[in-house]
Amino acid sequence: MVPEDQGNFDESNEPNDEELNEIVIEAEEIVANAEEEIEDPIVQELRRERDEYLESLQRTKADFDNYRRRVARLEEESNEKRVLALIEKLIPTLDDLSMLLAHVANSDSGEIAEKTIRPMFSMLTNEGLEVIDAIDVVFDPEIHLAVAHEEGEGGPMVAEILRPGYRWKGRVLRPAMVKVIG
């Protein structure tokens, strides 16, 4: 037996989309309020533990990020120190090569020496090596070592370079040995 009201389906009694949305929102609010009212002590404990674990994880992540940055900085500093030590060891050889170039400049072997040695000096210069060998500049005790002095007019000026100095990325490795006038 079918009840009479089920046999006659009337679409006008069916709620529209707007009414359905309102019903869903109302139901969600009721559920949310019910969850707040029924705070089980076990649920509270689980939430507290969850928050502690999340906070611990965030601290650990921050510590690891700081560690990674510190290790990268230390590695960079270590590499720079190794390069600096190598350049310092090369200075006597660079002096010898410079003297060789000056000695054979006007000979037939001078061209061969020039083609062999100049590219190495260019590469080192491109990487940050500066040769301190300027003449007729104001004497600077930071980059010059005066080993001879000649009387003259005006302030102290570099008159002659007796041995070139070297600077690596702005840091003086060896001051230039100079004769000062003035």
Side-chain angles (χ1 to χ4, degrees):
M1 195 180 221
V2 178
E4 290 180 25
D5 61 339
Q6 283 186 356
N8 297 331
F9 181 71
D10 186 10
E11 288 185 15
S12 63
N13 290 339
E14 186 177 314
N16 62 25
D17 287 341
E18 239 179 70
E19 292 172 333
L20 283 175
N21 284 339
E22 287 177 19
I23 292 170
V24 168
I25 291 172
E26 212 173 291
E28 287 175 347
E29 288 176 3
I30 292 170
V31 169
N33 290 336
E35 285 178 352
E36 288 177 10
E37 290 174 8
I38 310 173
E39 264 311 308
D40 187 5
I42 295 173
V43 172
Q44 288 177 348
E45 178 64 21
L46 289 174
R47 284 188 179 146
R48 186 187 60 74
E49 283 183 27
R50 178 201 63 196
D51 292 344
E52 286 176 5
Y53 287 134
L54 179 62
E55 190 176 308
S56 175
L57 175 66
Q58 289 169 338
R59 274 195 307 270
T60 302
K61 183 183 179 301
D63 288 345
F64 184 70
D65 289 343
N66 291 336
Y67 169 77
R68 193 173 356 153
R69 282 191 294 270
R70 184 173 56 248
V71 166
R73 187 187 74 242
L74 290 173
E75 185 177 327
E76 185 177 322
E77 289 172 3
S78 176
N79 288 340
E80 185 63 31
K81 285 179 183 178
R82 278 189 243 127
V83 169
L84 188 61
L86 175 65
I87 296 297
E88 286 175 340
K89 289 177 185 176
L90 280 175
I91 288 176
T93 305
L94 295 175
D95 287 338
D96 293 344
L97 292 173
S98 293
M99 285 189 285
L100 174 68
L101 283 175
H103 182 71
V104 296
N106 296 328
S107 68
D108 293 337
S109 56
E111 185 178 332
I112 296 169
E114 183 82 22
K115 287 181 180 179
T116 307
I117 296 170
R118 286 288 174 212
M120 184 185 68
F121 275 104
S122 294
M123 183 265 313
L124 289 171
T125 301
N126 290 339
E127 291 298 319
L129 183 69
E130 299 172 58
V131 179
I132 304 169
D133 62 355
I135 298 175
D136 293 330
V137 297
V138 176
F139 173 78
D140 181 357
E142 296 279 326
I143 61 172
H144 299 120
L145 176 64
V147 294
H149 181 264
E150 190 176 296
E151 292 298 322
E153 297 178 13
M157 299 288 287
V158 174
E160 183 180 347
I161 300 288
L162 304 173
R163 184 181 73 188
Y166 294 96
R167 198 173 10 213
W168 178 255
K169 296 183 179 178
R171 179 179 172 193
V172 176
L173 301 177
R174 183 182 77 189
M177 192 180 295
V178 297
K179 177 180 178 182
V180 177
I181 189 168

